[in-house]
């Protein structure tokens, strides 16, 4: 995506190029500062144990949808905990009893789910904005429009602007712009990180 082979040509007028830069800059800010806590819903597939939530890069809580339509907190363990072994060997059943956290953004539901459930898992944790910036009340993504607001905290919005300008200057091979905008971006990135730590939003 870098260089005049794509940018600086007629294809450069494609607005989706700018959309890509904005989304990736927002994702980078979120990963570097832990300033955004998000929630995503995953649908349970019958017979499937492992699930991933790409936008949540550090899972902190999971809830399963019960027969009453409520999300309840199951027991959570690290994936290697011995207590998960007997549950993993159990036959599939309708409702999971425990969840094992695998790495950064994967979970394992034990025993293996017997039935498919739409939006059967709620996952919360430190997140990136990702491809969609707004969701309906059921957790389904909605298309971004010109009126869609950036989900990052307000303190990060200036940082996002300078991040986009820095990437744009790199694409246009503008060394002066790269130096100026990168310096401003890094300065504001530090401010966002301090803000996240001050309000106890930073991970440990």
């Amino acid at each position: 995506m870098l260089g005049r082979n794509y940018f600086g040509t007629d294809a450069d007028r494609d607005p989706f190029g700018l959309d890509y830069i904005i989304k990736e800059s927002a994702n980078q800010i979120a990963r570097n500062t832990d300033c955004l806590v998000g929630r995503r819903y995953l649908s349970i597939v019958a017979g499937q144990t492992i699930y991933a939530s790409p936008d949540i890069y550090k899972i902190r809580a999971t809830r399963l949808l019960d027969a009453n339509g409520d999300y309840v907190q199951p027991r959570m363990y690290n994936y290697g905990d011995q207590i998960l072994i007997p549950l993993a060997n159990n036959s599939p059943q309708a409702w999971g009893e425990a969840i094992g956290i695998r790495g950064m953004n994967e979970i394992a539901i034990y025993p293996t789910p017997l039935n498919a459930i739409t939006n059967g898992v709620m996952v919360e944790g430190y997140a990136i904005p990702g491809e969609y910036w707004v969701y309906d009340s059921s957790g389904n993504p909605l298309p971004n429009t010109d009126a869609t607001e950036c989900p990052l905290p307000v303190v990060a919005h200036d940082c996002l602007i300078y991040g986009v300008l820095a990437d744009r200057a790199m694409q246009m091979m503008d060394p002066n712009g790269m130096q100026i905008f990168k310096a401003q971006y890094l300065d504001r990135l530090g401010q966002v990180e301090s803000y996240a730590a001050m309000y106890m939003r930073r991970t440990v």
Side-chain angles (χ1 to χ4, degrees), residues 158-198:
D158 281 354
C159 183
L160 175 59
I161 292 172
Y162 280 107
V164 172
L165 290 173
D167 287 344
R168 184 64 175 163
M170 181 184 299
Q171 292 164 349
M172 299 305 295
M173 298 181 182
D174 177 7
N176 293 329
M178 288 169 56
Q179 183 176 4
I180 294 171
F181 296 138
K182 190 70 171 182
Q184 293 294 328
Y185 166 74
L186 293 176
D187 178 61
R188 283 162 174 78
L189 187 69
Q191 295 176 18
V192 177
E193 187 173 14
S194 298
Y195 176 88
M198 181 184 303

Side-chain angles (χ1 to χ4, degrees), residues 69-90:
D70 299 322
Y71 285 96
V72 296
Q73 177 77 57
R75 292 173 290 166
M76 292 179 57
Y77 303 97
N78 291 325
Y79 185 65
D81 285 352
Q82 293 291 321
I83 196 170
L84 291 176
I85 295 177
L87 291 173
N89 292 329
N90 286 348

Side-chain angles (χ1 to χ4, degrees), residues 62-66 70-74 96 99:
T62 57
R63 293 174 177 84
L64 300 177
L65 189 65
D66 67 9
D70 299 322
Y71 285 96
V72 296
Q73 177 77 57
I99 287 180

